[in-house]
Amino acid sequence: MSDIPGTPDQPDPHDPLDSFDEIIEAETTRDPDLAVIEAGSRTLRTQGGQPQAEVPARPEDPEVDKALREVEAELATRWGETKLEPSVSRIAALMDVLGEPQRSYPSIHITGTNGKTSTARMIEALLGAFELRTGRYTSPHVQSITERISLDGAPISAERFIETYQDVKPYVEMIDAQQEYRLSFFEVLTGMAYAAFADAPVDVAVVEVGMGGSWDATNVIDGDVAVVTPIDLDHTDRLGETPAEIAGEKAGIVKQDATVILAQQPVDAAQVLLKKAVEVNATVAREGLEFGVVARQVAVGGQLVTLRGLGGEYPELYLPLHGAHQAHNAAVALAAVEAFFGVGSQRPEPLDVDTVRKAFAAVSSPGRLEVVRRSPTVVLDAAHNPAGARVTAEAVGEAFQFSRLIGVVGASADKNVRGLLEAFEPVFAEIVVTQNSSHRAMDADELAAIAVEVFGEERVQVEPRLPDALEAAITLAEEEGEFAGGGVLVTGSVITVGEARLLLGKG
């Protein structure tokens, strides 16, 4: 949707209810049976930022860099993020010996399949603009492990990361000795984040789940606001094979008497989430009903959006991110912050629009349709599943209008790679398949075999080394000529994007 307020074919921007009625009428996939569940849940209705830091580079001080590498090496000896034993017993034990740091501040907890990190960064920017001290915990990182833990809108320093690790290390080792399995990489980082937030101290924590919800290590918090971004099929071997099964796991972050902010969901997923809200007496706000995107138009470097929040309309917000999906993420983030401040329940008036406008204008999301080079334009996007690839493909077409787009794809072996490639096939003139340095990376030749089936042999080039793949793609894009519209999109994995970002001089 690309609505420009005030055009003859669009609703009058001075009549926001007309605009919002159209959003509701567009919800063609809604199931009437949902009304039975929704009748049992309360819904939020009203009658009436901090500068975002770039991805950090390696520490300049050799001693600090050495110490950070030692911490990274110790963490790497633990179970990785893809090896799980579904339980919160170990992280709960760690929180207990640390004195329950996660209880010392309110929190906004975010789950979903796609859009979690971008939404978290928008929530963080909004809270910071309203002069709250924030802590943000997100995963995975693009380049530096320190990105995962942020204070006041910026990743913690390498020195503080090392200090936090050394502070919790004795307690981690104590729990390791007591449990059947040692704490995992992600569990230790989660404990570090919660401890760092308490030590700061923060006014509010913005926490993204690692995977799922119920048994995710982050789920030792009781989020005042639970956010569910769009659910789709991913990690099906661990979370379930249908949106409803996956929603059952993700619904685990919805706690007693919380407020739940639901992005647009598949009907079966929405049923599960709304049922959980009824069970725990949670208040619900749903995109397309209580809040949503009223209008959006492409702008230089991003887009101009008008959002309908829980407290009213917020017109002409500049968002320096590309794609309709980011506009929807912005609507979800705004509703989450409104709910945190009690808009729609304790207070009827909306948030200050100028503060909201300032916050959104400062948002960044590295590795999400991020331009890192011109002539030819090279864009990075961390899409790693079919749903993410579809919205990225649509957004690239809208925002850049390349005459010829070359894809560089390096994916993880445990993903639905065929579905990802099929989503990109209509927009890639040619594809260069490669692999990143992760042990999870799909072999380039194996990836190429699938790509040939999707694209045809003449459109596929294989370059196992990422530097060679980038060079090959840039060369192919330059064949269009200096003043033509050739471009390169690097995608398939957060790790691929992070490594490409370094190679192209970012961070």
Side-chain angles (χ1 to χ4, degrees), residues 77-90:
T77 66
R78 298 180 176 275
W79 276 2
E81 290 170 283
T82 59
K83 186 173 182 180
L84 304 167
E85 195 274 321
S87 168
V88 294
S89 59
R90 292 176 302 281

Side-chain angles (χ1 to χ4, degrees), residues 119-420:
T119 302
R121 293 178 72 95
M122 293 181 199
I123 291 172
E124 174 190 50
L126 285 162
L127 292 169
F130 284 98
E131 300 184 348
L132 292 185
R133 188 166 201 202
T134 58
R136 172 173 54 85
Y137 181 52
T138 54
S139 62
H141 57 273
V142 177
Q143 285 175 205
S144 171
I145 195 171
T146 60
E147 296 166 40
R148 295 178 180 236
I149 304 173
S150 290
L151 292 172
D152 297 322
I156 63 173
S157 66
E159 292 88 345
R160 190 162 192 167
F161 187 90
I162 296 163
E163 180 183 350
T164 302
Y165 176 76
Q166 297 299 340
D167 286 344
V168 305
K169 183 178 178 180
Y171 301 98
V172 168
E173 292 174 344
M174 183 189 307
I175 301 305
D176 285 344
Q178 297 172 356
Q179 298 288 323
E180 181 180 2
Y181 304 106
R182 296 170 71 215
L183 286 154
S184 70
F185 169 88
F186 187 72
E187 287 168 334
V188 175
L189 280 174
T190 301
M192 289 172 59
Y194 290 162
F197 296 161
D199 185 59
V202 302
D203 296 315
V204 54
V206 182
V207 178
E208 173 190 337
V209 304
M211 186 184 301
S214 296
W215 42 259
D216 186 75
T218 63
N219 203 31
V220 289
I221 59 171
D222 293 327
D224 300 77
V225 179
V227 176
V228 188
T229 66
I231 290 175
D232 211 297
L233 300 182
D234 199 11
H235 302 296
T236 53
D237 56 330
R238 299 177 180 89
L239 302 180
E241 297 183 352
T242 67
E245 290 177 351
I246 294 172
E249 288 295 334
K250 295 183 183 295
I253 74 164
V254 179
K255 304 298 175 59
Q256 188 72 33
D257 298 322
T259 300
V260 188
I261 306 299
L262 295 182
Q264 291 179 336
Q265 303 290 348
V267 169
D268 57 345
Q271 289 176 321
V272 172
L273 293 164
L274 289 167
K275 181 180 179 183
K276 178 60 181 283
V278 172
E279 292 171 354
V280 298
N281 195 38
T283 303
V284 178
R286 301 149 296 177
E287 184 182 7
L289 293 175
E290 284 74 45
F291 68 93
V293 179
V294 174
R296 56 178 295 269
Q297 61 186 105
V298 176
V300 175
Q303 55 192 305
L304 197 65
V305 299
T306 294
L307 303 179
R308 169 77 174 187
L310 304 176
E313 189 166 297
Y314 298 79
E316 297 185 343
L317 309 172
Y318 176 67
L319 183 66
L321 301 174
H322 300 292
H325 62 295
Q326 294 290 17
H328 289 283
N329 290 340
V332 170
L334 176 61
V337 172
E338 285 184 306
F340 181 79
F341 283 121
V343 175
S345 54
Q346 288 88 33
R347 49 180 282 187
E349 70 274 8
L351 301 175
D352 179 71
V353 68
D354 289 334
T355 305
V356 170
R357 190 172 285 125
K358 177 181 176 182
F360 275 126
V363 167
S364 70
S365 195
R368 278 75 180 177
L369 285 175
E370 180 186 19
V371 177
V372 293
R373 171 182 165 149
R374 300 285 186 183
S375 299
T377 299
V378 178
V379 182
L380 307 180
D381 191 85
H384 56 272
N385 55 43
R390 287 192 293 270
V391 297
T392 295
E394 179 182 351
V396 166
E398 173 189 85
F400 298 98
Q401 298 179 339
F402 293 119
S403 60
R404 186 164 181 262
L405 181 62
I406 310 300
V408 175
V409 178
S412 297
D414 59 348
K415 296 296 183 180
N416 179 358
V417 174
R418 180 179 294 276
L420 182 139

Side-chain angles (χ1 to χ4, degrees), residues 434-453:
T434 188
Q435 64 189 76
N436 58 56
S437 63
S438 169
H439 67 279
R440 296 171 54 200
M442 176 174 281
D443 178 78
D445 289 332
E446 183 180 351
L447 178 57
I450 301 173
V452 166
E453 294 177 4

Side-chain angles (χ1 to χ4, degrees), residues 105-122:
Y105 40 79
S107 56
I108 297 176
H109 206 177
I110 306 168
T111 190
T113 301
N114 291 307
K116 296 187 295 295
T117 298
S118 293
T119 302
R121 293 178 72 95
M122 293 181 199

